Amino acid sequence: MTQSHPHPSRHDRAWPKGLTIRARSLTDAAAIADLHNLPGYRWGTMRLPYHSVEEIRRGIEQQPADVRSLVAVLDGMVVGDIALLPAKGRRAHVATLGMGVHDNYTRRGIGRALLGEAIGIADDWLNLRRLELTVYADNHAAIALYESFGFTVEGRMADYAFRGGTYVEALAMARLSA
């Protein structure tokens, strides 16, 4: 049975009404494939078009034990996801974040709720000192969200990825805990 948390782990971060955040499960594979195949979701991530349910299912089955992958569920539908990927060895104090929100559910606080939960896990349970992420330089809404959680731009990467027929630049951002 998958545990579900209807309330934020950090009480300073309210969630949208009816939102639940929980660990992703195999039963979410079809919903996650649908999410990842949305044009807006894909535009803001490194995902390629046409993810299959089987591909997502394999990713869930093969996920390393130290990775935390969460889904946001609203009205029974997966409307966002986030992954916290811890580093190893001399970078054991670091994790990378990757996230996205359903095209029809942006600007409703879902990304804020997901990011808040991932940061809560990093700070309160894993004692991680540094969180890193990469964001396309033209994704102003995501950049503003990350900055509101204390992420700062550490670098700009020209021709970082090929998206929609052209090369785009990205920003390296990080958040250091005190």
Side-chain angles (χ1 to χ4, degrees):
M1 180 175 168
T2 301
Q3 273 195 316
S4 166
H5 302 281
H7 304 291
S9 61
R10 298 183 133 198
H11 299 290
D12 61 335
R13 301 281 181 203
W15 290 357
K17 185 177 181 184
L19 183 71
T20 299
I21 295 178
R22 61 173 172 73
R24 74 176 181 174
S25 69
L26 275 174
T27 59
D28 295 320
I32 292 170
D34 289 344
L35 177 69
H36 290 186
N37 286 321
L38 291 169
Y41 181 103
R42 185 175 56 246
W43 190 258
T45 70
M46 291 294 293
R47 302 251 175 227
L48 293 170
Y50 304 109
H51 280 260
S52 70
V53 174
E54 186 54 38
E55 185 179 3
I56 300 297
R57 184 175 289 118
R58 273 193 313 273
I60 294 170
E61 289 172 339
Q62 296 171 3
Q63 176 178 299
D66 61 347
V67 172
R68 295 287 150 248
S69 293
L70 307 175
V71 292
V73 179
L74 188 62
D75 299 326
M77 187 170 115
V78 173
V79 294
D81 63 351
I82 192 166
L84 180 69
L85 303 110
K88 307 238 183 287
R90 292 171 63 172
R91 287 183 41 87
H93 64 290
V94 178
T96 301
L97 289 169
M99 65 179 289
V101 174
H102 191 289
D103 293 12
N104 296 331
Y105 290 84
T106 60
R107 302 214 181 252
R108 295 188 189 188
I110 293 163
R112 178 169 296 285
L114 282 165
L115 187 56
E117 283 303 290
I119 289 172
I121 292 167
D123 289 353
D124 301 338
W125 295 95
L126 299 176
N127 194 28
L128 295 173
R129 169 103 172 97
R130 178 181 170 85
L131 296 178
E132 302 172 338
L133 59 86
T134 303
V135 60
Y136 291 125
D138 63 358
N139 193 342
H140 303 293
I143 294 166
L145 173 64
Y146 301 143
E147 289 176 340
S148 76
F149 277 91
F151 284 82
T152 59
V153 174
E154 293 188 330
R156 182 175 293 272
M157 298 172 280
D159 291 353
Y160 179 78
F162 194 70
R163 180 188 69 183
T166 188
Y167 288 100
V168 294
E169 61 180 23
L171 304 176
M173 298 184 77
R175 174 188 180 270
L176 298 177
S177 61

